[in-house]
Amino acid sequence: MAKKDKKDNNTISSGEIAKNKKALFNYEVIEKFEAGIVLLGTEVKSLRERSVNMADSYASFKKGELFIVNMHISPYHFGNRNNHEPLRERKLLMKKRELKRLYGKIREQGLTLIPVKLYFARGKVKVELALAKGKKLHDKRETLRRKTLDREMERYIKR
């Protein structure tokens, strides 16, 4: 397998694939977890080309198993009729103890599991999930205000 090449942004075999920046703006992250993901061959090839959209995706429990919903992985360009469904639900792989703990937190506290980052680790695709609580409108405004203040401070320090 080839290493990550700075010049070629189309193919990648190790490192970060995609980040969900919108999730970090809309949610307050409480805790982060790493999970494996069950993928088809054409999905992995498509991920190497970074054709993924995690903007509206979330994780939910079905019959005691964790699935990622609404994550759009574009069909592989060179795929044949056995190409994957872009919006299918994909199973996430975690230890049973972690799953039970997450299930309890989501049920009791009304928290949400959202994917924050998708990356390759040791040749496998991993998902970084965040246990998060939704922000209110005034919290989002405060975040934007802090960002602009930090940016102005940086500009002032550079001068």
Side-chain angles (χ1 to χ4, degrees), residues 31-33 35 59 66 92 94 113-116 127-131:
E31 195 173 351
K32 290 185 179 180
F33 300 93
L66 189 60
L92 295 175
M94 293 178 82
L113 265 178
I114 52 170
V116 177
V127 179
E128 187 175 288
L129 295 171
L131 192 61

Side-chain angles (χ1 to χ4, degrees), residues 12 15-19 47-48 50-52 118-120 125:
I12 183 169
E16 190 175 294
I17 300 169
K19 265 189 178 178
L47 285 177
R48 289 192 192 283
R50 297 181 181 191
S51 351
V52 61
L118 202 61
Y119 58 96
F120 284 103
V125 178

Side-chain angles (χ1 to χ4, degrees), residues 25-156:
F25 178 73
N26 290 330
Y27 295 93
E28 177 186 335
V29 176
I30 296 169
E31 195 173 351
K32 290 185 179 180
F33 300 93
E34 181 183 73
I37 184 168
V38 178
L39 297 171
L40 300 173
T42 55
E43 289 175 325
V44 175
K45 290 179 179 186
S46 196
L47 285 177
R48 289 192 192 283
E49 294 177 344
R50 297 181 181 191
S51 351
V52 61
N53 184 2
M54 300 190 307
D56 297 327
S57 59
Y58 62 95
S60 67
F61 282 92
K62 292 184 181 156
K63 298 180 183 176
E65 294 180 334
L66 189 60
F67 289 89
I68 194 162
V69 183
N70 268 350
M71 184 168 73
H72 185 278
I73 299 177
S74 299
Y76 183 54
H77 180 68
F78 298 107
N80 55 14
R81 66 177 176 227
N82 296 325
N83 223 340
H84 64 276
E85 190 71 29
L87 283 174
R88 76 179 186 90
E89 293 181 354
R90 294 161 181 92
K91 185 177 177 180
L92 295 175
L93 306 172
M94 293 178 82
K95 294 189 176 185
K96 191 177 264 187
R97 184 174 56 239
E98 288 178 326
L99 286 174
K100 286 181 181 178
R101 192 170 135 234
L102 277 175
Y103 186 73
K105 284 189 176 187
I106 289 172
R107 285 287 176 213
E108 288 176 17
Q109 302 170 2
L111 301 174
T112 308
L113 265 178
I114 52 170
V116 177
K117 186 165 72 170
L118 202 61
Y119 58 96
F120 284 103
R122 300 173 301 282
K124 308 275 191 269
V125 178
K126 301 288 181 178
V127 179
E128 187 175 288
L129 295 171
L131 192 61
K133 184 178 182 179
K135 283 185 183 178
K136 303 283 186 214
L137 183 61
H138 60 86
D139 293 333
K140 293 179 189 178
R141 286 182 184 151
E142 181 62 32
T143 305
L144 284 174
R145 194 174 300 124
R146 259 191 256 124
K147 269 187 178 178
T148 54
L149 284 174
D150 290 343
R151 208 175 294 130
E152 288 174 5
M153 289 280 284
E154 288 293 323
R155 286 182 192 150
Y156 185 75

